Amino acid sequence: MKTNKMKKRPSIRWTLLISLFLLCAITITILWLCQNLFLNDIYKSIKTTELKEAKEKITRRIANGELETAAQAIANEYELCVFILSETNQFTSVSVHTAGECVLHQIDTMGYMILYNQAIKSQDGILYYVKDENANRYIQSQKNEKGEQSILLVCTAPYQNGQAILFLNMVISPVSATVKTLNTILLYVTIVLVLLSILLSIVISHMVARPIVAITKSAECLAEGNYSIEFKGSGYAEVDRLANTLNYAKTELSKVDRLQKELIANISHDLRTPLTMISGYSQIMKDLPGENTPENLQIIIDETERLTSLVNDVLDISKLHAGAKHFDLKPICLTTITEKAMQRYAKLTAGGYHISYLHDENLFIMGDETRVLQVIYNLVNNAVTYTGADRKVTLAERRCGTFARLSVIDTGDGIPKDKLNDIWERYYKVDQTHKRYAIGSGLGLSIVKEIMKEHGGRYGVISAPGQGSEFWVEFQLVPDNEPLPSLEKAQ
Ligand code: ADP
C-alpha cells in the first residue's frame, strides 16, 4: 500500500546534511567569536595574571635577600622590565629590561615616585598604558584600550630591614594582526568543513539509507502478498534486527494467510455438506409423506447440530483470541468434571466404543468449569474421531507436582513428528483431504490451547505415526491455603 497521504518528511540524506552544516556553523561561529571578540580580553587577563604571579615570586626572593639576581631571573622568565628601588642602608636601584621599550624607559628617578603614588591608589597597584603611535610614547589608558599596551604593576616588598619598591612592566603586543591571520585560516577551515560535511552526509546517508530503502522495497512486495520475499540485513545491528523481525512477521503472515485460505475451503465444504443433507431430506419428507420417519428427522437434527457446533467453534476461537471471554477461575474438582463429561459418551460406548477413565484420587484444580469441560470434550471428540479400529479411548488423570494432568489416549494412526506443533494452530488439519465425519473445523485444539493459556496451565501431545496419540493438559492444583469445594458443590 502506498503511503501517499503521509506527511512529507525530510530524507535521511537531507537531515544528515543539515545537521552536519549546523555543527559546522556552530563550531565556526564559536571560533570566530572567541577570535574577534574575546581574544584581546582573554590575552590581557592571562598577561595580568602572569604579572601578579611574577610579583609573588620576586617578592619572595627579595625577602630572602636576593635583589639583582631575583630581578634578572624574573624579568627573563616573564619577559618583563623590572625596576627596584631600595633605601636600606644606602639608596640602591636595580633596572632590568627585556621587553624592549616600555613605560619604565620614558621616566626618570623622580618619575618613579609619581608613578608609585598613582599606583598605590589604583586597584592591585596596576596601571594600564597604551602607546601613542604619533608621539612614540606610552600614555595612561583604560584597561580595555586597543593597540600596544603596557601593564605596570607597582608594589612594595620587605627587603633586609626596610622596604623595596618594585616596578614590573609587561608589554602586550596588539592581537589584531594575529586575529587577521587567524580569520584567514578560519575561512579556509570553513570551506574545508563545508565540503567535508557534504561528502560525509552523502557517504553516511548512503550507508544508512541503502539498507532501509532495500527493506522498504521488500516490505512493499510483502504488502502485495509476495511471501517469498526475503528481508536482508546490512551489517548494522538495528537494521539486522529490523530485517529479522520483518522476516518473522512475514512467516507468521504467510502462515495466517495459508490457514485462512484453508479455512475458507474447509468451512465452506463443512457448511455445504450438512446444508445439502438438511435441504435434501426436508425436500424428500415434504414430497413423499412415507419418508417422514424419525430416522430421517434424526439426520436433519444431527446435521443441524454439526452446523451449530461448527459455528460455535468459530465464534469461540475468535472471542478467545480477542480476549473477550471471561474466565472465572476457582477451585473445582477435575475428577468430578471429567466424570460428568464421560456421561456424554455413554451412547458411544453402547455403539462399540471402549472409553475408559483411570484415576486414583479426586484432584482439585483452579479452573473455569465450562472451559475445562470444553477442553475435555475437544480432546475426547478428537480421540473418538481418530482412534483405531479397536475404537479404544483412554482418559488418565494423575497428580504431577503442583499440576493435575489429564491425558486422552487413542490407538489411531498418530501424527507425523513435523506436524506436532502445527496441529495447535487455528484451522490446521493434518489430513487436508476431506473425510466426512472424521473432519472437524480445525479449531478444536487451538481452542484447547487458548483455554489452557488462560488457566496458566500446560498442554502437549505425544504421538508417532502408527502408535496412536496421547493428548495431555495440566491444570494448576488448588494451592494448600485455598479451601476446597465440597464434592456435591463441584458437581
Ligand atoms: P479438528 O476439528 O479438525 O479435529 P483440531 O484443532 O481439533 O481440529 O485438530 C487439528 C488437527 O489435529 C486435526 O485435523 C487432526 O489432523 C489432528 N488431530 C487432532 N487430534 C488428533 C488425534 N487424536 N489423532 C490424530 N490426529 C489428531
Side-chain angles (χ1 to χ4, degrees):
M1 197 177 72
K2 295 264 181 259
T3 49
N4 292 342
K5 281 186 189 158
M6 257 174 67
K7 223 170 110 187
K8 201 141 175 61
R9 302 221 186 262
S11 66
I12 292 181
R13 187 161 299 170
W14 276 112
T15 316
L16 260 171
L17 187 65
I18 292 168
S19 312
L20 284 173
F21 266 151
L22 268 178
L23 186 70
C24 274
I26 293 170
T27 317
I28 288 162
T29 313
I30 292 173
L31 277 176
W32 192 88
L33 281 178
C34 286
Q35 232 164 260
N36 290 279
L37 299 185
F38 310 123
L39 189 65
N40 205 34
D41 292 340
I42 294 170
Y43 179 56
K44 263 182 210 165
S45 77
I46 290 172
K47 285 293 178 189
T48 314
T49 316
E50 274 182 18
L51 196 60
K52 288 177 184 167
E53 223 176 79
K55 173 195 134 183
E56 297 300 326
K57 272 193 190 169
I58 203 167
T59 311
R60 244 179 284 133
R61 290 182 70 166
I62 289 174
N64 291 341
E66 300 171 52
L67 197 71
E68 273 183 60
T69 49
Q72 191 69 54
I74 298 300
N76 286 337
E77 188 182 341
Y78 290 93
E79 289 186 19
L80 300 172
C81 292
V82 179
F83 183 75
I84 305 172
L85 272 178
S86 155
E87 40 171 20
T88 326
N89 299 332
Q90 59 180 70
F91 186 81
T92 50
S93 77
V94 176
S95 177
V96 183
H97 295 284
T98 59
E101 291 286 313
C102 74
V103 177
L104 299 179
H105 287 87
Q106 60 191 40
I107 46 174
D108 54 16
T109 315
M110 275 319 288
Y112 285 116
M113 293 324 294
I114 301 167
L115 270 188
Y116 173 74
N117 286 332
Q118 279 177 354
I120 53 170
K121 285 181 207 144
S122 72
Q123 201 193 355
D124 296 338
I126 294 178
L127 297 173
Y128 295 92
Y129 292 84
V130 67
K131 196 164 195 175
D132 178 355
E133 293 297 341
N134 297 330
N136 199 22
R137 66 192 309 277
Y138 287 100
I139 49 171
Q140 211 168 330
S141 71
Q142 292 304 310
K143 183 184 177 181
N144 44 7
E145 201 101 11
K146 294 258 180 319
E148 186 183 315
Q149 270 207 337
S150 227
I151 312 176
L152 182 68
L153 190 150
V154 183
C155 65
T156 56
Y159 175 61
Q160 292 180 347
N161 298 324
Q163 291 281 325
I165 306 173
L166 313 179
F167 295 83
L168 308 180
N169 188 108
M170 189 178 259
V171 175
I172 298 176
S173 29
V175 290
S176 50
T178 318
V179 169
K180 228 178 188 171
T181 318
L182 285 177
N183 276 346
T184 316
I185 295 173
L186 195 60
L187 185 73
Y188 290 124
V189 171
T190 310
I191 295 169
V192 171
L193 275 180
V194 167
L195 290 178
L196 260 180
S197 51
I198 294 175
L199 197 76
L200 264 179
S201 65
I202 292 173
V203 173
I204 298 177
S205 66
H206 186 65
M207 280 158 63
V208 174
R210 201 188 40 186
I212 296 177
V213 170
I215 285 185
T216 311
K217 272 201 188 119
S218 305
E220 278 166 6
C221 289
L222 177 66
E224 280 158 15
N226 179 359
Y227 295 112
S228 62
I229 198 88
E230 196 62 34
F231 290 93
K232 291 196 184 78
S234 65
Y236 299 111
E238 293 83 354
V239 180
D240 281 354
R241 217 165 40 231
L242 176 67
N244 286 343
T245 313
L246 285 170
N247 277 328
Y248 175 70
K250 177 202 75 180
T251 318
E252 291 299 302
L253 273 176
S254 68
K255 231 194 249 173
V256 170
D257 189 58
R258 182 173 52 80
L259 289 174
Q260 247 160 15
K261 280 183 187 140
E262 282 170 20
L263 165 83
I264 293 172
N266 293 351
I267 294 240
S268 51
H269 182 278
D270 289 348
L271 288 176
R272 205 172 36 205
T273 317
L275 283 173
T276 313
M277 301 272 281
I278 292 168
S279 90
Y281 272 85
S282 320
Q283 199 66 44
I284 291 170
M285 286 163 72
K286 184 184 144 211
D287 295 346
L288 308 169
E291 287 298 319
N292 207 339
T293 61
E295 291 77 25
N296 285 350
L297 260 178
Q298 190 56 47
I299 290 174
I300 293 176
I301 293 168
D302 287 349
E303 294 302 328
T304 318
E305 272 172 7
R306 185 175 301 282
L307 273 180
T308 313
S309 90
L310 186 66
V311 172
N312 279 344
D313 273 1
V314 174
L315 282 178
D316 269 357
I317 193 70
S318 49
K319 277 186 191 159
L320 277 168
H321 242 258
K325 282 271 171 185
H326 175 65
F327 281 76
D328 186 16
L329 297 191
K330 56 181 185 216
I332 49 174
C333 179
L334 178 63
T335 319
T336 316
I337 291 171
T338 313
E339 271 163 357
K340 196 165 154 186
M342 294 299 289
Q343 289 163 14
R344 189 174 168 181
Y345 298 98
K347 258 194 184 165
L348 282 179
T349 315
Y353 280 88
H354 309 284
I355 304 176
S356 49
Y357 175 33
L358 313 174
H359 60 98
D360 297 331
E361 54 177 327
N362 286 328
L363 292 179
F364 290 88
I365 59 161
M366 293 304 289
D368 179 316
E369 183 171 338
T370 324
R371 296 293 150 197
V372 174
L373 264 173
Q374 197 172 0
V375 167
I376 300 171
Y377 286 144
N378 285 4
L379 293 183
V380 178
N381 285 348
N382 277 351
V384 167
T385 309
Y386 295 104
T387 195
D390 59 0
R391 297 185 163 189
K392 222 170 123 181
V393 173
T394 311
L395 276 78
E397 187 187 292
R398 67 183 164 90
R399 191 183 281 273
C400 206
T402 55
F403 286 85
R405 181 175 178 129
L406 180 69
S407 298
V408 181
I409 306 153
D410 67 63
T411 57
D413 291 342
I415 303 163
K417 204 168 169 212
D418 58 323
K419 304 282 189 310
L420 287 178
N421 280 333
D422 295 336
I423 55 171
W424 302 93
E425 298 292 337
R426 275 184 290 174
Y427 313 125
Y428 187 85
K429 295 177 180 193
V430 174
D431 186 0
Q432 300 298 327
T433 56
H434 261 59
K435 281 190 279 167
R436 174 128 176 86
Y437 293 113
I439 294 299
S441 60
L443 289 172
L445 289 181
S446 58
I447 291 175
V448 170
K449 175 171 124 181
E450 293 302 324
I451 294 175
M452 291 313 294
K453 273 203 233 161
E454 290 296 329
H455 276 78
R458 304 190 286 219
Y459 58 91
V461 56
I462 304 162
S463 181
Q467 289 175 21
S469 309
E470 175 184 341
F471 280 83
W472 59 266
V473 283
E474 285 181 358
F475 293 96
Q476 271 171 346
L477 286 167
V478 175
D480 288 342
N481 53 359
E482 196 84 31
L484 295 178
S486 68
L487 280 181
E488 288 73 26
K489 210 176 162 197
Q491 279 166 354

